[in-house]
Amino acid sequence: MRQMRLLTACLAGTAAMLAATVSFAQEIRDANLTPYAVKDYAIEKSLTGKPGDPAKGRQIATTSGQGNCVICHKMPIPEVAFRIGNVGPDLTEVGGRLTAAEIRMRIVNPKLLNEETIMPAYYRVTGLNRVDKKAQGKPMLSAEQVEDLVAYLSTLK
Ligand code: HEC
């Protein structure tokens, strides 16, 4: 019984330590990409140091070979209504639900939140299973394109 209590105390201690660790910003450096800090499942700073362009972000969200987010997410883009998928959550009001910093992390690397997710990490080069040699060493989207998407998604309220 005493051992049991000791074990419980140890586990509680470890949990507290882990909670303390995640509240620090974790700096992520990935090959030649702009380094960024993740804290509370969010990336506070713009990857380019500037705000993105929402009109460009809207375009990227529907363009195959770029974001092509609409194949999995409902978004208010009537021109592509016929090819909108619903594999992921509806993003129609995502700007009201998540901060720009939270949206940024989910585009950069949603695996930080859910290792099993089928959503691609758009700003990552290591740890990807790439068939196409030409695509190796390059992220799916540039830092500017990520910021354009963050700006666009933030307008969806
Ligand atoms: C292959 C399907 C797929 C594609 C393509 C995709 N996503 Fe996702 N996305 C998901 C899934 C599934 C989730 C749910 C999170 C999870 O799996 O853990 C998600 C979650 C999200 C979330 C969090 C939403 C919330 O309410 O918590 C955001 C924001 C997001 N995606 C943005 C994007 C953007 C922007 C693009 C395009 C650059 C994109 N996604 C492309 C499948 C996809």
Side-chain angles (χ1 to χ4, degrees), residues 7 9 12 14 17-20 29 35 51 62 67 80 87 99 103 107 128 140 157:
L7 182 67
T14 316
M17 260 165 56
L18 283 175
R29 290 177 178 275
T62 63
V80 296
V87 175
T99 64
I103 293 173
I107 300 172
L128 301 176
M140 290 176 71
K157 288 185 182 160

Side-chain angles (χ1 to χ4, degrees), residues 52-102:
D53 176 342
K56 284 190 189 153
R58 189 179 189 276
Q59 184 67 43
I60 294 161
T62 63
T63 307
S64 65
Q66 296 186 8
N68 211 14
C69 322
V70 293
I71 60 162
C72 290
H73 292 284
K74 184 165 179 218
M75 297 172 99
I77 309 183
E79 312 89 274
V80 296
F82 66 96
R83 59 183 178 93
I84 281 184
N86 62 356
V87 175
D90 183 343
L91 297 182
T92 312
E93 295 179 355
V94 69
R97 192 163 64 239
L98 299 176
T99 64
E102 288 168 334

Side-chain angles (χ1 to χ4, degrees), residues 55-154:
K56 284 190 189 153
R58 189 179 189 276
Q59 184 67 43
I60 294 161
T62 63
T63 307
S64 65
Q66 296 186 8
N68 211 14
C69 322
V70 293
I71 60 162
C72 290
H73 292 284
K74 184 165 179 218
M75 297 172 99
I77 309 183
E79 312 89 274
V80 296
F82 66 96
R83 59 183 178 93
I84 281 184
N86 62 356
V87 175
D90 183 343
L91 297 182
T92 312
E93 295 179 355
V94 69
R97 192 163 64 239
L98 299 176
T99 64
E102 288 168 334
I103 293 173
R104 184 175 291 111
M105 197 216 77
R106 282 151 184 81
I107 300 172
V108 165
N109 185 4
K111 316 263 185 288
L112 294 170
L113 191 61
N114 171 12
E115 185 59 42
E116 315 268 271
T117 186
I118 57 156
M119 177 165 160
Y122 283 91
Y123 195 68
R124 185 180 181 188
V125 294
T126 51
L128 301 176
N129 302 316
R130 281 257 165 97
V131 183
D132 185 355
K133 282 259 186 299
K134 276 185 294 188
Q136 265 159 21
K138 289 195 205 123
M140 290 176 71
L141 295 176
S142 68
E144 283 80 8
Q145 289 174 318
V146 171
E147 291 308 323
D148 292 342
L149 279 166
V150 171
Y152 171 57
L153 264 60
S154 299

